[in-house]
């Protein structure tokens, strides 16, 4: 089972929409790491309610390292933009037991975060976590 993860977000709306998109594409488990401010206070409870209604799973971790430690994915693929990631994502490189991480912060992943996995971009311009998630899941469904 592939995991999609929203990392480093403070927006409750972003958390909610990330879950809606993922569950809409029939992803079973959504992972949220490093949620702060309204993302933690109201976004997570809203998403939890949605997950429960849809009989889906949601996992929250304080840091990305915690998610990696618990989920033990084969690969960690961090989806960023072309300025920080060298290669375009090849959908065939994504496996069933991988953790796909999307950055909720407009600043993108830090260098230290990128060292935790493989950095890839989907489109050349910065379109944010929600746009990248939708394109990623659409591409995975076509494979």
């Amino acid at each position: 089972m592939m995991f999609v993860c929203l990392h480093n977000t403070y927006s409750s709306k972003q958390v909610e929409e990330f879950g809606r998109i993922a569950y809409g594409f029939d992803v079973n488990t959504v992972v949220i790491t490093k949620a702060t401010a309204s993302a933690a206070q109201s976004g997570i409870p809203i998403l939890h309610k949605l997950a429960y209604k849809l009989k889906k799973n949601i996992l929250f971790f304080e840091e990305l390292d915690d998610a990696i430690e618990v989920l033990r994915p084969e690969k960690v693929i961090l989806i960023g933009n072309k300025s920080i990631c060298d290669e375009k994502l090849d959908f065939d490189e994504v496996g069933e037991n991988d953790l796909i991480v999307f950055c909720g912060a407009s600043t993108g992943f830090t260098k230290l975060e990128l060292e935790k996995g493989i950095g890839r971009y989907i489109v050349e311009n910065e379109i944010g976590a929600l746009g990248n998630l939708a394109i990623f899941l659409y591409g995975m469904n076509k494979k």
Side-chain angles (χ1 to χ4, degrees), residues 7 16 19-22 27 29 31-32 40-41 44-45 55 65 75 85 96 101 104 110 113 119 123 135 139 142:
H7 174 70
E16 185 182 347
R20 281 190 193 287
I21 293 166
V27 169
T29 303
V31 180
I32 308 288
Q41 291 174 329
I44 286 174
K55 295 181 174 36
D65 287 340
K75 286 192 295 276
C85 300
E96 274 289 304
V101 186
T110 65
E113 288 168 342
V123 294
I135 294 169
K142 293 187 73 93

Side-chain angles (χ1 to χ4, degrees), residues 9-26:
T9 181
Y10 59 85
S11 164
S12 106
K13 198 70 183 157
Q14 187 180 44
V15 169
E16 185 182 347
E17 292 301 317
F18 190 89
R20 281 190 193 287
I21 293 166
Y23 296 144
F25 277 97
D26 216 26

Side-chain angles (χ1 to χ4, degrees), residues 10-96:
Y10 59 85
S11 164
S12 106
K13 198 70 183 157
Q14 187 180 44
V15 169
E16 185 182 347
E17 292 301 317
F18 190 89
R20 281 190 193 287
I21 293 166
Y23 296 144
F25 277 97
D26 216 26
V27 169
N28 195 41
T29 303
V30 169
V31 180
I32 308 288
T33 57
K34 200 174 174 188
T36 56
S38 75
Q41 291 174 329
S42 62
I44 286 174
I46 290 167
L47 187 55
H48 195 268
K49 181 178 169 185
L50 177 66
Y52 187 82
K53 281 181 175 177
L54 297 172
K55 295 181 174 36
K56 300 287 187 179
N57 302 308
I58 182 158
L59 298 170
F60 310 104
F61 296 99
E62 193 173 359
E63 286 295 333
L64 188 54
D65 287 340
D66 299 329
I68 293 167
E69 177 190 331
V70 171
L71 299 173
R72 303 180 65 173
E74 283 179 26
K75 286 192 295 276
V76 177
I77 301 174
L78 299 105
I79 305 294
N81 59 30
K82 195 174 180 186
S83 63
I84 59 167
C85 300
D86 303 331
E87 288 183 48
K88 190 167 184 154
L89 178 74
D90 175 359
F91 289 101
D92 291 330
E93 75 181 302
V94 180
E96 274 289 304

